[in-house]
Amino acid sequence: MSNKERTKAKFANGGRILLNIKSGQNLVAKDKSIIGGFLGKKAISSDPYVKIMCGDREVGKTKTVPKSLNPVWEEQFMFELEPNDRAVVELQLYDHDAFNQDDAMGEIKIDLLSSMNQDGYVYEDKEYDVETCADCDNATGTVKLSIIFNPETSSKSSANLGGNKGKKSAFSFPMPTPPSLDAGKLAKVEDVVKDPLYNLTLQQHQLDKLDLSSAELKAAKKYAVSMNMALASKELEHQFEKEEQEVERRKRERENQRAAMMNRVHAFSKIKFPTTKTRDYPRVKILSTLEDFVGVEVPSLSKTLKSVEALPEGCAERLLWRLLLHFKDDSPSSNMDVAEILDQLKARIVLEELSTITLNDEIRAMKNYVTSRNRSDWDREMLEEKCLECIKEVQPIDADLLVDLLKQGKLASKGVEGKDVLLLLGKTGAGKSTTIKFIGGAKFERTDVDGHIGCGTTSDCHPFLEYFESAGSVESQTVFVKGIDLELDTTEFMLVDTPGIGGTGDTRGPEVDIANAINITMSMRSAKTVRPVLLINGKDCGGRLTGISEQLGIVVDMLAPIEDNIDSFNYVFTRFDLAEYKGGDRMLTHFNEKCAADKSNKTDTKEVKEMVRHCRDKIEAQGAMVLDPIKDDPNAFTTTLLDIVKAPPIEDPQKMFKNFATPQNSALLIVQLKKHKASVINALSRTDVDMMEKKLSQLSVFAEYLKMDSVMFYQDSVKEVKLKCDNMLMELGEKLGGLMDNNDHEQDEQDLFRCLEIIAFLIKLDLIREKYFPTVASFESSCRTVMSNTMRKLATSVTSLLVGNTDSPVDCDVLSKCDIVLCKMDLFS
């Protein structure tokens, strides 16, 4: 069999291809904007990406590198050449366009047959010229890549690994068996091959220098190819697993949760509990179904790689989060150039006008630290802390997280719509979730979580009650409003659990605190009626109720006005010593002392004092409702619960509940809103539409959900955008209108270039206009009007020259201007 026939036979069985697309150089500008069209041959940025085709099917695609003619991808792909496929790998280059069809930038075709070496493999590491294609006749530049083809690793599986396909391989590439060499030669070969990845050409040269026979050299090179394939396969699989692990885990968790819950509900329905007092369930019937609890997903309270990549390309916030995630990785496989990222961050801070003394000092300190030590010697915890300090300087509040919490909270609140609600309120640790489980019949025991005394479930209760998490810690276990439909002596209502509000102690950050307060009021506005129950924590009140004002005051800002709704409130005291406070007058005595002291108290507001008096009157009329879930019998508390359910409700919660936040969180929110407005103005000055839209989008969510000052900042930001656009339209008209009065051709070119810049920006901005300022006339239409007026003026001038004085020569300068405008501007129309 000839060499040609043997080669074809190898390809007939297919094989595996490892492709590393590294970078591009001097690629063609394919921007559909008017600027790109007007400048023609000038180096205007594109947004290039590469689509990989093998055997007439797409097997991978690189990321898009924005605004670059010299993109760096550094992405690896592994895929199958199926049996009898064309032995050609085709790379199709495109310019990404967010609003139009992507533009072709050329193609590269790699013929595996012609590239195969004498050993029967393909391994090349070089720059390939970008060739023209059917949709691109002006392709330029080169793409640097390496490719390895191993025809002896074919698989019947059609699965592939590659880029952002996001699929794990259905096969595993085994580690190759070392060649049969003596120990000394094998050690030298292993020394070359142990440090591969994707530098196979250098390996081949190093192997050529070894003292090996022809057969031994061939075996060593084959070993190097297989080792590269195996290590690349493992690296790619690890990469995809890392990206998909969390998604898959959540999916399995939801499926398992659903199946387990259905099984438990079924088993629970068959249990026959004894009717003794120690196990006698209250007269409460659960009406909720499983669908009431499954569906709302709690956003991650920490940044993920996916959320960081969604931030505007190159912005300071994105760079900081990338650094933080890198420092959090205890065993980083990434070779991120931290010093270079810090240099980029320093420049970006200046560009975005975010500089502060603290921020500059922290960046400088990190740069000095990482450049003076080996990576393995870094104190990653210290670097992580410095990164967090920088992030707090740039954004005191994580706007992305707050937006996610608000949107998910709205979804979670839909179950409350139109319901008669019994609303449990209180600070973190007051026992709201514990109370719901207690009412459902759960038994508890004393627990100690990180020094915080609480109570944990010791016996089976209805499976639905497991959705109400409780723990004796200062961190609230409840993220969103949760409700369970109950029936108590023919009275149906929804018992609603809420996140902890007011005061300090919840360590999850201001974003969670703000979202908690907003989600509570948002949910209650959709309810039919509301009966608030304030759970008062004895541990926070002190022995003589010295802290009661703070606990009662947490609801004052929630209702407007509080005096109109005060009779709907009930109070349950938790974590009080039963021996001292239950069945006696001690609680009433302390409240009488508190009310007497309030006459000279200038600290508490009038509304808080009114709440204190109302609580005192309730205790005097019906005794203190003191709950100990460890010692109390749920049956005994059912009578108390029935009294609460029969209290007069808040009949119009839509009007009565209002948004609120603690003074500390309000101050932080104002700082962040100011930063958002400043970012919009800064992005406008740089014509950075992506950054501007990001900030406007977040401000619009804040305005919708938070109300308060957010509406003003959002409206002010929109006004700034509209003012900028009006000024740019005015400038466009002035520059185009001044063409007839200017005899400087170079100045004409500059003015037209500026006009095209303005038009390109306004057209891009027009795509978000309807979302943020729909009442404003279309910017595209306004541009066309200005340009039409200019063309009409030029046409009138030409006509007057031609017909006004036939003896005068035509003014070539006017015709030249007309040609510039009509021809160049024709790209716009």
Side-chain angles (χ1 to χ4, degrees):
M1 181 183 293
S2 66
N3 287 338
K4 185 175 182 180
E5 290 173 336
R6 282 195 295 270
T7 300
K8 287 186 176 180
K10 284 178 177 288
F11 279 95
N13 294 323
R16 191 171 303 175
I17 297 171
L18 172 62
L19 178 65
N20 178 21
I21 301 179
K22 300 179 181 180
S23 60
Q25 285 290 323
N26 301 321
L27 301 182
V28 67
K30 275 292 184 178
D31 200 326
K32 283 291 185 179
S33 72
I34 300 177
I35 295 177
F38 176 67
L39 292 178
K41 296 181 181 180
K42 293 185 180 181
I44 303 304
S45 293
S46 294
D47 304 316
Y49 68 90
V50 182
K51 185 186 296 184
I52 306 164
M53 307 294 293
C54 180
D56 300 322
R57 69 187 188 281
E58 182 181 336
V59 294
K61 186 167 68 173
T62 68
K63 65 186 177 184
T64 298
V65 179
K67 302 178 182 178
S68 177
L69 298 180
N70 303 299
V72 177
W73 289 292
E74 290 294 351
E75 293 188 55
Q76 293 81 43
F77 304 83
M78 183 176 285
F79 49 89
E80 287 281 294
L81 178 69
E82 301 288 351
N84 301 317
D85 269 351
R86 284 192 314 119
V88 175
V89 175
E90 186 175 340
L91 308 182
Q92 300 174 351
L93 280 74
Y94 287 93
D95 169 52
H96 174 70
D97 195 319
F99 309 107
N100 297 302
Q101 184 174 351
D102 294 349
D103 301 312
M105 298 176 64
E107 65 182 13
I108 296 171
K109 292 185 178 180
I110 305 172
D111 188 340
L112 299 180
L113 277 170
S114 62
S115 302
M116 178 173 278
N117 64 15
Q118 63 218 18
D119 300 321
Y121 299 93
V122 174
Y123 43 85
E124 293 188 341
D125 186 354
K126 66 178 186 179
E127 287 187 334
Y128 287 80
D129 291 329
V130 181
E131 305 291 344
T132 60
C133 60
D135 296 322
C136 178
D137 57 4
N138 63 338
T140 62
T142 60
V143 172
K144 188 175 182 179
L145 59 89
S146 64
I147 185 169
I148 303 173
F149 173 68
N150 189 346
E152 298 184 5
T153 57
S154 61
S155 168
K156 293 182 180 179
S157 170
S158 61
N160 63 72
L161 261 73
N164 55 9
K165 282 284 186 182
K167 297 179 181 178
K168 289 172 59 181
S169 177
F171 49 81
S172 178
F173 196 99
M175 295 297 289
T177 303
S180 299
L181 303 173
D182 63 60
K185 292 181 179 180
L186 180 59
K188 293 180 179 179
V189 171
E190 291 281 10
D191 191 50
V192 172
V193 175
K194 72 179 181 180
D195 185 24
L197 225 46
Y198 317 118
N199 199 358
L200 188 59
T201 302
L202 179 59
Q203 286 183 1
Q204 301 294 320
H205 290 319
Q206 291 174 337
L207 291 173
D208 286 334
K209 296 177 182 179
L210 299 180
D211 184 18
L212 300 174
S213 67
S214 176
E216 290 172 338
L217 181 59
K218 183 176 181 179
K221 289 185 175 181
K222 177 181 176 181
Y223 176 58
V225 171
S226 299
M227 180 63 76
N228 270 268
M229 302 286 277
L231 291 175
S233 175
K234 289 183 180 298
E235 183 178 294
L236 285 169
E237 288 186 11
H238 175 71
Q239 174 187 337
F240 294 133
E241 285 173 2
K242 191 174 181 180
E243 292 291 332
E244 297 180 349
Q245 187 176 24
E246 185 62 20
V247 175
E248 292 296 325
R249 184 192 68 78
R250 289 186 179 184
K251 182 179 178 181
R252 289 194 303 270
E253 188 178 76
R254 285 195 298 269
E255 291 173 351
N256 294 338
Q257 183 186 53
R258 190 182 191 89
M261 186 58 68
M262 291 304 296
N263 291 336
R264 293 201 59 186
V265 171
H266 181 68
F268 187 84
S269 65
K270 295 183 177 182
I271 296 176
K272 294 183 178 180
F273 295 106
T275 57
T276 61
K277 289 186 178 180
T278 58
R279 196 56 175 164
D280 190 14
Y281 273 69
R283 303 183 307 276
V284 174
K285 181 180 180 182
I286 294 177
L287 304 179
S288 293
T289 64
L290 181 60
E291 297 302 322
D292 295 330
F293 298 96
V294 178
V296 177
E297 190 171 320
V298 178
S300 172
L301 299 185
S302 59
K303 271 283 193 291
T304 62
L305 179 61
K306 183 178 180 181
S307 61
V308 170
E309 292 300 320
L311 294 170
E313 183 72 29
C315 71
E317 186 181 344
R318 177 169 174 164
L319 293 172
L320 279 168
W321 280 111
R322 281 185 62 198
L323 284 171
L324 182 62
L325 292 180
H326 178 72
F327 294 143
K328 279 179 174 288
D329 190 351
D330 293 330
S331 302
S333 58
S334 169
N335 291 321
M336 176 190 287
D337 189 338
V338 174
E340 182 181 349
I341 296 294
L342 287 168
D343 286 338
Q344 295 176 17
L345 177 60
K346 183 179 178 181
R348 192 71 189 194
I349 291 295
V350 174
L351 184 66
E352 296 181 27
E353 300 176 332
L354 297 171
S355 294
T356 64
I357 295 176
T358 301
L359 190 57
N360 293 333
D361 288 346
E362 294 291 359
I363 293 174
R364 188 183 306 111
M366 284 193 285
K367 174 71 179 296
N368 293 337
Y369 183 86
V370 299
T371 54
S372 63
R373 292 167 176 78
N374 293 327
R375 187 182 293 264
S376 57
D377 297 331
W378 288 355
D379 183 346
R380 306 184 78 84
E381 289 187 4
M382 181 273 291
L383 289 170
E384 184 181 333
E385 289 177 4
K386 286 189 173 296
C387 255
L388 284 171
E389 287 299 320
C390 291
I391 289 172
K392 289 178 182 178
E393 280 290 310
V394 172
Q395 49 163 28
I397 290 177
D398 186 343
D400 282 327
L401 174 57
L402 182 54
V403 166
D404 286 344
L405 288 170
L406 291 171
K407 288 183 176 180
Q408 289 296 322
K410 185 175 183 179
L411 292 176
S413 68
K414 286 186 177 298
V416 181
E417 291 180 3
K419 299 290 183 69
D420 292 309
V421 170
L422 192 65
L423 177 65
L424 301 185
L425 295 170
K427 292 175 63 176
T428 298
K432 300 180 292 295
S433 301
T434 299
T435 299
I436 290 180
K437 287 187 172 183
F438 173 76
I439 292 171
K443 298 295 182 181
F444 295 88
E445 66 179 359
R446 186 182 180 89
T447 60
D448 187 338
V449 181
D450 297 329
H452 302 282
I453 305 301
C455 49
T457 310
T458 64
S459 62
D460 289 335
C461 58
H462 195 288
F464 288 169
L465 297 177
E466 292 181 6
Y467 284 96
F468 299 89
E469 300 178 53
S470 58
S473 67
V474 296
E475 186 173 283
S476 176
Q477 301 300 302
T478 306
V479 178
F480 298 127
V481 169
K482 296 180 182 179
I484 184 167
D485 291 312
L486 302 177
E487 182 182 76
L488 180 61
D489 282 356
T490 71
T491 301
E492 295 183 7
F493 61 96
M494 173 175 275
L495 186 59
V496 173
D497 186 16
T498 59
I501 56 173
T504 59
D506 193 324
T507 59
R508 295 178 298 176
E511 302 86 3
V512 178
D513 286 343
I514 293 170
N516 286 348
I518 299 302
N519 289 334
I520 291 172
T521 56
M522 180 170 55
S523 300
M524 292 307 103
R525 288 194 195 108
S526 65
K528 180 181 178 182
T529 62
V530 179
R531 293 174 174 85
V533 180
L534 183 59
L535 274 66
I536 301 173
N537 187 345
K539 300 298 181 183
D540 290 336
C541 282
R544 303 183 68 83
L545 304 182
T546 53
I548 192 67
S549 294
E550 181 185 357
Q551 300 233 16
L552 292 174
I554 65 176
V555 297
V556 168
D557 293 333
M558 188 186 299
L559 290 164
I562 190 69
E563 55 268 22
D564 291 349
N565 306 283
I566 200 166
D567 288 337
S568 299
F569 274 86
N570 277 281
Y571 312 91
V572 174
F573 297 89
T574 63
R575 299 194 178 188
F576 282 82
D577 190 325
L578 291 180
E580 294 185 13
Y581 289 99
K582 202 160 190 174
D585 295 329
R586 182 161 185 172
M587 185 75 75
L588 180 59
T589 300
H590 287 326
F591 264 93
N592 285 329
E593 293 173 355
K594 173 65 177 170
C595 289
D598 277 348
K599 293 180 180 179
S600 59
N601 179 7
K602 298 182 179 179
T603 303
D604 293 345
T605 64
K606 179 184 71 173
E607 291 80 8
V608 170
K609 292 178 181 179
E610 183 66 26
M611 289 286 289
V612 172
R613 286 193 293 272
H614 181 262
C615 187
R616 189 272 313 269
D617 294 343
K618 281 272 187 180
I619 294 171
E620 188 174 33
Q622 59 193 33
M625 300 180 187
V626 182
L627 174 63
D628 185 337
I630 296 175
K631 299 178 181 178
D632 282 356
D633 183 354
N635 282 309
F637 190 75
T638 304
T639 304
T640 300
L641 184 63
L642 196 57
D643 291 338
I644 295 174
V645 171
K646 293 179 179 179
I650 297 174
E651 297 284 0
D652 192 359
Q654 175 68 33
K655 292 182 179 179
M656 296 303 175
F657 280 87
K658 64 177 183 177
N659 288 357
F660 72 100
T662 64
Q664 300 94 325
N665 288 335
S666 294
L668 275 179
L669 188 58
I670 292 296
V671 172
Q672 188 59 58
L673 290 170
K674 289 180 178 179
K675 284 182 174 290
H676 263 63
K677 180 181 175 181
S679 292
V680 171
I681 296 172
N682 175 266
L684 270 173
S685 68
R686 296 183 289 108
T687 63
D688 186 345
V689 176
D690 292 336
M691 175 65 81
M692 182 175 60
E693 182 181 14
K694 178 73 173 178
K695 297 303 181 181
L696 280 177
S697 174
Q698 292 171 340
L699 281 171
S700 68
V701 173
F702 295 159
E704 177 185 355
Y705 290 86
L706 303 181
K707 311 296 183 186
M708 301 181 284
D709 297 305
S710 304
V711 176
M712 179 188 68
F713 279 97
Y714 173 61
Q715 292 175 345
D716 287 348
S717 298
V718 170
K719 287 178 183 177
E720 291 288 345
V721 177
K722 289 161 63 177
L723 179 62
K724 176 73 172 181
C725 294
D726 289 342
N727 291 338
M728 293 181 82
L729 282 169
M730 187 180 300
E731 182 185 358
L732 177 65
E734 290 174 352
K735 288 194 177 297
L736 287 177
L739 284 174
M740 295 301 300
D741 304 323
N742 184 23
N743 295 322
D744 186 342
H745 289 288
E746 184 176 344
Q747 184 64 43
D748 287 344
E749 292 283 340
Q750 293 177 4
D751 287 347
L752 279 173
F753 174 68
R754 174 56 182 160
C755 290
L756 295 172
E757 272 188 325
I758 293 173
I759 293 169
F761 174 72
L762 290 175
I763 289 176
K764 192 172 183 181
L765 193 63
D766 207 42
L767 296 167
I768 65 172
R769 175 186 56 81
E770 290 188 7
K771 183 175 181 180
Y772 300 110
F773 26 91
T775 58
V776 177
S778 166
F779 296 131
E780 180 178 348
S781 176
S782 299
C783 289
R784 289 185 184 278
T785 300
V786 173
M787 289 172 59
S788 297
N789 292 337
T790 301
M791 292 179 181
R792 191 178 299 111
K793 183 177 179 181
L794 286 170
T796 302
S797 299
V798 172
T799 302
S800 65
L801 286 171
L802 290 174
V803 302
N805 187 354
T806 55
D807 296 329
S808 300
V810 176
D811 191 328
C812 293
D813 187 56
V814 173
L815 292 178
S816 175
K817 293 176 185 290
C818 189
D819 175 68
I820 290 174
V821 176
L822 293 177
C823 294
K824 302 299 184 184
M825 293 294 189
D826 186 55
L827 293 166
F828 173 73
S829 56

